[in-house]
Amino acid sequence: EALLIKVGISAVDEKGAQENLFSEIPHWDFEKTKKDASRIWETVLNKIQVKGKSKIQKEIFYTALYHSLLVPNLYTDSDGRYNGMDLKIHKTKDRHYTIFSLWDTFRATHPLFTIIEQKRTNEFIRTLLRQYQDGGRLPIWELAANYTNCMIGYHAIPVIADAYVKGIRDYDQKLALKAMVHSAMQDEFGLSSYKKNGFISASDEPESVSKNLEYAYDDWCIAVMAD
């Protein structure tokens, strides 16, 4: 026999998972669920129209675009609750996200979002600012409300600055600048040497050259936004 199975998921509690399930898929119509998902993806992928290329080239392009849009993931329950960076439950009327692998995404993925996902870009930045308020600093590489501290730099900063200079500004701009400066004033990961000497020597910190370059770029982004 064929079995129909529905799964609810929540980062808050079982009740949240159950309510998410009931609010998002209250029915048992598999074909409707499939068609709804296909329609949503078709709408998003149609924001970029590729013409004059072969079928294989189009498949490569749209597969890559699909992969680019898999994260960040929505992290709020249907009632607005989410797990904060302080590992406490918070509530918002906004859309709150998770999985900001910023070292991987600040160069190209988030700039792409400023073109095809401007509304979500504002939501992403408001999420980053809530993470700053809930946990005390902007994330470097956030995963499920955890500061993994994976990778280098503090690349929430260019994500915010890039959106700001492009006129995407539906967030607390003064809070954003305050959070950005706060990131640059920390002492870990070679920042104490960077602030003291203006550079990071190999004897002070692993990956000294890479970290120096990334901090220099991020600090320039702070200066651009401050200006």
Side-chain angles (χ1 to χ4, degrees):
E1 276 186 76
L3 294 177
L4 288 177
I5 299 172
K6 292 194 289 188
V7 177
I9 182 172
S10 166
V12 178
D13 54 27
E14 291 180 18
K15 180 175 177 288
Q18 190 175 48
E19 290 180 353
N20 291 342
L21 182 64
F22 291 152
S23 67
E24 293 177 11
I25 312 180
H27 55 80
W28 284 94
D29 188 337
F30 178 81
E31 288 302 320
K32 173 178 167 43
T33 304
K34 184 179 175 182
K35 288 178 182 177
D36 286 347
S38 178
R39 174 181 49 80
I40 292 168
W41 274 110
E42 191 69 23
T43 300
V44 174
L45 296 175
N46 264 316
K47 290 182 177 182
I48 299 179
Q49 295 288 324
V50 176
K51 297 179 181 179
K53 299 295 182 180
S54 69
K55 183 174 182 293
I56 291 176
Q57 287 174 316
K58 288 180 179 179
E59 286 177 355
I60 292 170
F61 175 83
Y62 284 109
T63 299
L65 182 59
Y66 165 75
H67 286 156
S68 297
L69 293 162
L70 289 176
V71 292
N73 296 160
L74 190 63
Y75 205 48
T76 37
D77 282 354
S78 58
D79 61 1
R81 292 183 302 159
Y82 68 92
N83 195 23
M85 302 301 284
D86 53 3
L87 300 182
K88 296 178 180 178
I89 306 306
H90 299 263
K91 193 168 186 177
T92 179
K93 294 181 180 179
D94 199 3
R95 292 166 69 88
H96 190 84
Y97 293 84
T98 187
I99 310 180
F100 288 93
S101 63
L102 293 159
W103 186 88
D104 306 297
T105 57
F106 85 92
R107 296 173 181 83
T109 307
H110 278 284
L112 172 65
F113 291 158
T114 66
I115 300 170
I116 65 172
E117 293 289 346
Q118 294 188 352
K119 180 182 176 182
R120 281 199 178 99
T121 293
N122 280 313
E123 293 172 349
F124 294 157
I125 294 174
R126 292 197 297 267
T127 296
L128 293 171
L129 295 181
R130 275 191 296 272
Q131 291 172 339
Y132 164 71
Q133 291 175 306
D134 295 344
R137 59 187 172 91
L138 288 170
I140 294 173
W141 205 125
E142 179 272 345
L143 175 64
N146 285 279
Y147 287 114
T148 68
N149 295 322
C150 179
M151 305 312 295
I152 59 176
Y154 26 80
H155 295 316
I157 285 170
V159 171
I160 298 170
D162 182 42
Y164 183 83
V165 298
K166 291 175 179 174
I168 302 171
R169 301 178 179 180
D170 189 14
Y171 45 85
D172 187 331
Q173 296 155 34
K174 290 185 177 180
L175 177 64
L177 183 59
K178 179 181 177 182
M180 292 161 76
V181 172
H182 179 76
S183 293
M185 299 309 294
Q186 303 305 301
D187 291 324
E188 56 190 352
F189 308 124
L191 277 171
S192 57
S193 298
Y194 180 66
K195 289 187 296 180
K196 179 181 177 181
N197 304 318
F199 66 92
I200 305 171
S201 67
S203 59
D204 290 334
E205 181 78 13
E207 301 175 307
S208 59
V209 175
S210 294
K211 287 176 180 173
N212 205 118
L213 288 169
E214 309 255 337
Y215 293 149
Y217 174 72
D218 291 340
D219 287 354
W220 176 77
C221 289
I222 296 175
V224 168
M225 185 155 171
D227 184 62

